[in-house]
Amino acid sequence: MYLRKIYSKNVIECLNSSSYINHLRNLSSKSLKPNVEFITDNEKITTQIEQRRNKQQVSPLIDSFGRFHSYLRISLTEKCNLRCQYCMPEEGVPLSPKSHLLTTDEIIYISKLFIDQGVRKIRLTGGEPTIRKDLVEIIARLKEIPLLENISITTNGLVLTRNLVSYQRAGLDSLNISLDTLQPKKYETITRRKGFERVVAGIDLAIQLGYKPKINCVAMKNFNEDEICDFVEWTKDRNVDIRFIEYMPFSGNRWETEKLLSFRDMLNLIQQKYPTFEALENKPNDTSKAFRVPGYEGQVGFITSMTEHFCGSCNRLRITADGNLKVCLFGNKEVSLRDAIRNGCSEDDLIALIGASVLRKKKQHAENILLFNQQNYPFRFQARNYSSKTDLTHVDEQGKAKMVNVIDKPHTKRKAIARGFVNVGAEITKLISNNLMKKGDVLTIAQLAGIMGAKQTSNLIPLTHPIPISSIKIEVKLNEEKQRVEITSAIECCWNTGIEIEALTAVAIASLTIYDMCKAVSHDITITDIKLLEKSGGKNYFKRT
């Protein structure tokens, strides 16, 4: 019940906020819960808030920005029988032991919890969900749950000709099929596997069985942009929804902005060939911008995750195959529902745990802030012409940012040492020395912050590479004579690129943490002389004298 108290307190604070009141005005009753009367004036809003607070009937699926989450995606497996270039490396990825994955009963139990709170659509994903042998059973058991309106799957389509009839009989309502090319040989290049003909046959079977399958196509420059109009032409005689997805960053696909084919770029390509290409009306929570060629049987959509995010209307939550709840696809914060269930967590506390996670959901994902400007186009430096002789490793000849490709560099042992000072003054020096700061042990917390900062460097500094760090040593000591805190970081790895930025980031984050913990006493604090002392490994050796 402790979790329930924390959750209720946070919800009441959320409900009392003016931003939530504004959201209640703007959200339709359908987006909150069925049969809730639409609220139009302050008196009714205040009354409803008071009733919800007194009865504690606030849905745990409403976040602090008023978004109600009625759509749950559940990953059934981490395995996949393809190796798509934009998704994972050719050798695959490390897999969790089977005992770590959700069982069928746990999937159904979690689904019922979310449906009781207002989820109305569940999508089964992977990996590749059709690999899971009990998929038909899972669909059938989900279909038996009252109030669930739609069960769908996202699949690569390889086994649909064999299994789709069974899925339909079990209760499957809709399906998405991944297909990035209409050329068999290019399909093999993209997926590193054969199977193009089977996928197309599966799509045609789905149409024959009465589905309008959504075809997910990840669009990339210099890869399949020459097929954009071919996909549009595919909708002439097939009742499908082709959905072009902007290429998105994942750790396994060596993200490069040069590959991004934006929604506007694709739209321009299509309109040159189809001048009558027209927009369709979209539903409030649609992720896809819908279009069609008049007279064609199918339609086309664009999922603009990178250039025109749809975070403001997001109603999706995700459960990973090992039972972690993710409130945002781009976020790295997860809470393990599997562990809570297996440790005997009560249903009330489990719902409170879900509600607390949803309340922490951010307004929007931050991944595109550094990549895109306010005009929603790939970020470019100020227009400048660069000579082809100029050796600018992070900028191409058009002035466009790029990440250096280090794949051909040898793995060597590398080490970097950095140092910095935080001048705090006499009063703070005395408080730190006696461990009397109200925020706690300044030196220890700064040390931990430095370690965390080093690990997150590639997420903080644009165009740096994620590095598997082998060792992080942060020394944070108080120099009472000079009235300052001295921070030294020493970081090691065995990799194909340098690690000095990680060492400098560690010192910077530790320094800022000290400032934050001490600013209540005085703002007359200065952070000075953050510098690299030594680096070894790679082509160059450096040591400050």
Side-chain angles (χ1 to χ4, degrees), residues 5 28 42 59 108 115 152 181 183 206 230 282 293 318 352 389 544:
K5 290 179 181 178
S28 68
N42 287 338
S59 171
I108 301 303
I115 292 168
S152 61
T181 179
Q183 301 174 18
D230 295 338
N282 297 304
V293 177
R318 292 169 176 81
K389 296 180 181 180
R544 193 175 296 276

Side-chain angles (χ1 to χ4, degrees), residues 31-284:
S31 68
L32 285 173
K33 59 167 62 177
N35 302 322
V36 177
E37 183 181 357
F38 189 75
I39 300 172
T40 58
D41 56 66
N42 287 338
E43 185 176 349
K44 286 185 178 180
I45 292 172
T46 305
T47 301
Q48 187 183 42
I49 291 174
E50 191 63 34
Q51 288 174 347
R52 287 187 172 188
R53 179 166 58 230
N54 291 338
K55 295 181 180 181
Q56 293 188 345
Q57 291 180 343
V58 181
S59 171
L61 304 186
I62 299 177
D63 68 13
S64 59
F65 302 97
R67 295 172 295 201
F68 180 77
H69 298 78
S70 59
Y71 181 3
L72 180 66
R73 297 188 178 194
I74 303 176
S75 174
L76 300 184
T77 179
E78 297 172 348
K79 295 179 180 178
C80 185
N81 45 9
L82 297 180
R83 292 292 181 270
C84 297
Q85 292 188 20
Y86 56 79
C87 185
M88 68 169 71
E90 186 172 5
E91 66 275 13
V93 294
L95 299 174
S96 301
K98 186 176 180 180
S99 61
H100 291 189
L101 304 183
L102 291 175
T103 66
T104 303
D105 288 340
E106 288 169 339
I107 290 170
I108 301 303
Y109 176 63
I110 289 172
S111 298
K112 286 180 178 178
L113 279 182
F114 277 90
I115 292 168
D116 287 344
Q117 304 309 313
V119 161
R120 294 296 174 261
K121 178 177 181 179
I122 289 179
R123 176 174 297 281
L124 304 175
T125 67
E128 171 52 41
T130 60
I131 287 179
R132 187 141 173 168
K133 295 180 180 179
D134 58 352
L135 177 57
V136 171
E137 177 190 351
I138 291 172
I139 294 172
R141 291 179 65 180
L142 287 174
K143 196 67 177 178
E144 295 173 353
I145 304 175
L147 300 180
L148 182 60
E149 297 171 359
N150 186 281
I151 304 170
S152 61
I153 64 170
T154 295
T155 173
N156 58 34
L158 286 175
V159 301
L160 288 181
T161 53
R162 186 167 68 246
N163 296 337
L164 184 54
V165 171
S166 298
Y167 300 156
Q168 186 178 56
R169 288 174 178 169
L172 184 69
D173 295 299
S174 59
L175 71 161
N176 288 28
I177 303 168
S178 300
L179 183 64
D180 301 315
T181 179
L182 298 176
Q183 301 174 18
K185 288 199 176 294
K186 188 183 288 187
Y187 178 89
E188 289 184 36
T189 300
I190 294 173
T191 65
R192 303 185 178 104
R193 299 289 188 274
K194 295 182 179 181
F196 173 80
E197 291 78 9
R198 279 187 286 159
V199 176
V200 173
I203 292 171
D204 290 337
L205 175 62
I207 296 171
Q208 292 171 19
L209 292 175
Y211 292 107
K212 182 179 182 178
K214 295 176 180 177
I215 311 302
N216 292 342
C217 174
V218 178
M220 291 171 278
K221 282 186 177 179
N222 303 318
F223 203 60
N224 60 357
E225 64 180 316
D226 59 327
E227 294 188 70
I228 298 297
C229 290
D230 295 338
F231 273 103
V232 175
E233 189 62 22
W234 228 49
T235 66
K236 183 176 182 178
D237 302 316
R238 281 182 171 90
N239 187 23
V240 294
D241 182 359
I242 302 291
R243 309 204 310 170
F244 294 115
I245 303 171
E246 290 179 338
Y247 177 65
M248 293 183 291
F250 289 96
S251 59
N253 66 10
R254 296 191 180 98
W255 163 245
E256 297 176 14
T257 57
E258 287 87 349
K259 291 184 180 180
L260 176 74
L261 186 60
S262 73
F263 158 55
R264 298 294 175 185
D265 291 337
M266 288 185 276
L267 192 58
N268 289 336
L269 281 172
I270 295 170
Q271 288 176 334
Q272 288 175 20
K273 183 172 181 179
Y274 303 94
T276 59
F277 194 59
E278 61 183 6
L280 302 176
E281 185 177 354
N282 297 304
K283 297 177 183 178

